[in-house]
Every structure is written in C-alpha cells, then in structure tokens.
Amino acid sequence: MEYYIAGKKGKSYFQFNESVANLNVGVAERLIDLFTAGGFYFVYDYLHRHFALFDIKPTFLLWVALLLATDLLRYWYHRFGHEVNIFWAAHIVHHQSEDFNLTTGARITIFQAIVRTGFWSILPVIGFPADMITSILIVHGLYPFFTHTKLVDKLGILEYFFVTPSHHRIHHASNEIYLDKNYGDMFIIWDKLFGTFAKETEPPIYGLTQPLQSYSFMWQHFHYFVELTYAFKQRKGFRNKLNVLFGRPEGIDPSGRPAVEKLFLSQRKVQAYSHRLRGYVIVRMVFALVILFLLLLLEHYVPIWLQTVVAFFIVITLINSGAILEQRRWVFYLEYLRASLPGGVAYYYYPNPTVLLLFTGILIGSLWYKKPIQKQYLRLIYG
C-alpha cells in the first residue's frame, strides 16, 4: 500500500536493491524467531518464578505501568545500541538502508532480540509475569514498524507525546544535527526527559555515516563484528582493547572498514541491473515469503527436522538473493544446494527406487553438464 500510494503521489521512496535487502533481513528474523521466541518467554518465566520481588496481578493500571516500563527500557536499550560498540554491532543492521519506508522497519535481527531480552529481563524480576510481558511486547512491537515512512507528515498534538514518523525519520538520518537523537519507540517523552530529542528541521539523509555499499546478506549482518575484531587486534593495551568493545562507535577508526572489505568482499563494482534479473529476484522473494508464511501457519503440524530443512532452504535463498544483487558468479553453486533439498525431502516421504533414480539422474546430469548449465544460468539472470 505504501509503494502504491507513494507512486500515486509521484514519490520515489523505494529503491529495488534496498527494498530486497531490507526484506531479506526481515524474513531471516521472522524465520529464526520461529525457533527462538519460545525461549525468550521461558527466560521471563524462569526469572519471575525464582527472582520476582513482587507478585504483580494484571489490573488495568498495572498493564499501563508495564507498557510505560517496557518503553522506558526500550529507550535505554536503543540508546546503548547506538552509544556502545558491542550493542551497535547488533543494531547497526537496522540503520544500513539508505531508503526510509516500511521495508526498513523490517530490518530487525536476532542479535537485537537477544540484547533486548537482556534489558527486558528486569521486568520479571520486578514482578511482572511472563504472560503479561509477552502480551505487551507483541503490542509494543507493532507500533514502531509503522513509524518507518515518509508518507505521513507531522501529526499535530500527537508529536508532543508519541513517537511519530517525523520523529523516527530523524533517528534514521545521518545528518550531523540528527545523530543520536529520538531513541523512543512508542513515547517521545523519554527523549525529552533525557535530552535526546530533536525536531525535523532539514531533509534527512538516510543510512550510515559511512555507507556499507554492499547487499550481501551475510556481510550486512556480520560486518561490524568483523570491524570490531580488526580494531581489537590493532589496539595495544588491555584498556584500549576494552574500549573497542564498550566505547562509542565514533571511537572506531573508519579506515578499518575498507581494510576488512578488501579481505572479505569482492572489489568488483556492478552498475547494470536488467529487468530480467529484477524479475528473478522478485519471484525468489515472493517464493521465500510464501514458504515462510506456510511454515509459520503450519508450525505445529510440521516435524522439527522438516522445519529445519525448510529454514535452511529459505536462508540459502536469502543469501543468494543478496549475492545475485551483487552479481556474484558463485550463486550458481548455492542454487545446486538449494535445488537438492526438495529432492531429499521427496525421497524421505516417498522412499521408492523411482524417486531415488530420478533424483540421482538429475544430479548426475546436472554435474555432467555443469559448465553449459552454469553459463546459461548466469546469462539468464545477468544478461
């Protein structure tokens, strides 16, 4: 809907590569959440049963108090996520996009979920039961997704109390006057209280102050951990090394990124993207989303081993989608691996010689004619 409305208004708020990269990150987070979300609940439940200071019951006022407490903790988690390197490594993925739209709101990683859980673990110790915490987190998690848009202008009196798209546009901006501002998730009162509030006064420029310039799925997730490791090795003395992990991001030498990119990334820059390549990436993305939806829908009817295989299939698809955007030749080999997974599942459910013979024949044939198939495949998607 956002894409459609923006088009009707003649606004170009979506870049193809950015949107695909954003959705890749979002799909991965939802996928991993399938296996981890229950674990977070049990962390809260364990802490509540063993360490709760009070036995809080779910009354209306205490629901309101829990919402405010959740948002306050989210403010400090978010602030530490920008001001402490080890936390910034988990949060930086959310800020890599140079677009600002609802696909940007999908850029959440499992690293963030783990760090947030550490902050929110204060709540069960206070005495809030795990059921209340989980319910509030669902409601609280929905709100900030919709603040990632340029379609909505300032919202009058609501600007004084709630985090609005205008406030959050500032937070995602790399303009110097907007850096480290508006950490609030639902209520803007915390930023005003702790001195991190800013109004939208000039057009925001989105993305990192040092743009990543890579659509690699794996590199987007792990590049800052690699940069921290590089900086850690370069520093002399225990105190200086410790400052790499717990100091501020601006204390990291920016020359470290080109150094690690030279080690881990191809230096070949790609300029052209054909309609055929875009169409292929879109089909893959839609396919991954449909499979993810069905997996989430049928979670309780699918054995854990099959969930794992399907999850692996989706992850390979996401990694390859990023590599295709960067026009890497090795995407062909991951496609081999991806194509073999459905064959293995088919044989598990239909273990007869015909299926095995067919699967083996296809595998041998594809390996025998690997070079012409690879050449045709790369020509098909890259032109």
Side-chain angles (χ1 to χ4, degrees):
M1 286 178 63
E2 184 189 27
Y3 178 81
Y4 175 78
I5 294 170
K8 283 292 185 182
K9 291 187 173 184
K11 304 293 185 181
S12 180
Y13 292 158
F14 292 79
Q15 297 181 70
F16 178 78
N17 291 355
E18 293 286 343
S19 297
V20 170
N22 295 346
L23 290 172
N24 279 345
V25 174
V27 168
E29 191 274 334
R30 287 293 88 197
L31 178 65
I32 297 172
D33 197 48
L34 175 70
F35 300 94
T36 59
F40 298 143
Y41 172 88
F42 288 114
V43 168
Y44 302 138
D45 186 55
Y46 178 86
L47 292 173
H48 180 260
R49 285 188 289 108
H50 292 85
F51 302 103
L53 299 176
F54 305 98
D55 185 20
I56 292 176
K57 304 299 181 184
T59 65
F60 174 76
L61 288 179
L62 286 172
W63 276 108
V64 174
L66 177 57
L67 180 63
L68 290 171
T70 299
D71 201 57
L72 175 59
L73 288 171
R74 178 62 165 77
Y75 169 87
W76 283 109
Y77 147 74
H78 202 173
R79 185 165 176 173
F80 278 116
H82 283 257
E83 297 180 358
V84 180
N85 277 321
I86 194 67
F87 294 143
W88 178 233
H91 186 59
I92 192 173
V93 181
H94 186 62
H95 285 267
Q96 290 165 350
S97 178
E98 295 180 18
D99 280 356
F100 189 77
N101 52 52
L102 292 180
T103 69
T104 310
R107 291 187 73 94
I108 306 295
T109 70
I110 189 63
F111 304 134
Q112 288 178 253
I114 293 170
V115 175
R116 281 197 308 243
T117 300
F119 279 79
W120 284 327
S121 291
I122 297 171
L123 297 172
V125 174
I126 292 173
F128 290 103
D131 292 345
M132 285 184 71
I133 295 170
T134 305
S135 299
I136 281 292
L137 291 181
I138 292 171
V139 175
H140 189 267
L142 284 172
Y143 181 88
F145 175 78
F146 294 99
T147 60
H148 294 81
T149 183
K150 293 195 280 186
L151 283 180
V152 178
D153 206 350
K154 295 186 178 182
L155 296 175
I157 194 171
L158 295 180
E159 299 279 327
Y160 292 98
F161 306 102
F162 293 97
V163 174
T164 64
S166 175
H167 294 147
H168 206 59
R169 286 194 287 269
I170 289 168
H171 177 70
H172 272 259
S174 58
N175 312 46
E176 189 172 351
I177 63 168
Y178 292 153
L179 293 178
D180 299 328
K181 299 296 183 183
N182 295 2
Y183 293 116
D185 218 36
M186 183 176 287
F187 300 106
I188 200 64
I189 54 177
W190 313 120
D191 287 286
K192 294 181 177 182
L193 183 64
F194 298 116
T196 53
F197 175 72
K199 290 183 178 180
E200 191 174 14
T201 55
E202 64 179 52
I205 300 170
Y206 302 104
L208 304 176
T209 54
Q210 188 181 5
L212 189 60
Q213 297 179 340
S214 173
Y215 297 108
S216 166
F217 176 80
M218 299 298 288
W219 190 244
Q220 287 183 349
H221 279 79
F222 294 104
H223 77 93
Y224 201 72
F225 290 103
V226 176
E227 290 174 39
L228 287 183
T229 303
Y230 178 83
F232 190 86
K233 289 181 177 179
Q234 297 293 110
R235 296 284 179 93
K236 303 298 181 183
F238 179 75
R239 188 185 184 92
N240 291 329
K241 287 180 180 292
L242 205 62
N243 196 49
V244 169
L245 300 179
F246 300 103
R248 296 177 67 93
E250 54 264 35
I252 300 296
D253 185 357
S255 66
R257 181 173 297 172
V260 296
E261 285 180 342
K262 190 174 182 179
L263 289 173
F264 291 98
L265 288 183
S266 168
Q267 302 305 303
R268 183 172 63 90
K269 300 297 181 184
V270 178
Q271 303 295 330
Y273 293 94
S274 67
H275 292 294
R276 185 163 48 189
L277 184 146
R278 293 189 178 200
Y280 182 64
V281 171
I282 289 173
V283 169
R284 292 166 60 92
M285 176 57 63
V286 171
F287 189 51
L289 285 169
V290 170
I291 294 176
L292 175 62
F293 175 76
L294 292 174
L295 184 60
L296 294 172
L297 186 67
L298 304 173
E299 173 188 358
H300 300 294
Y301 305 96
V302 179
I304 188 66
W305 74 267
L306 185 55
Q307 290 184 33
T308 305
V309 171
V310 173
F312 188 48
F313 181 89
I314 294 174
V315 168
I316 293 174
T317 302
L318 300 178
I319 293 172
N320 238 20
S321 292
I324 286 171
L325 291 177
E326 298 196 327
Q327 299 199 15
R328 305 293 185 222
R329 295 183 64 84
W330 51 260
V331 297
F332 176 75
Y333 299 101
L334 277 187
E335 291 288 41
Y336 258 121
L337 178 59
R338 196 170 72 111
S340 68
L341 293 176
V345 173
Y347 182 71
Y348 178 86
Y349 281 105
Y350 304 100
N352 62 67
T354 304
V355 173
L356 180 61
L357 188 63
L358 179 63
F359 179 66
T360 305
I362 293 173
L363 181 62
I364 293 173
S366 60
L367 289 173
W368 186 266
Y369 294 102
K370 183 179 76 71
K371 285 189 177 180
I373 293 174
Q374 181 183 21
K375 183 178 180 181
Q376 189 62 34
Y377 171 80
L378 296 175
R379 181 182 295 170
L380 181 67
I381 61 172
Y382 295 150

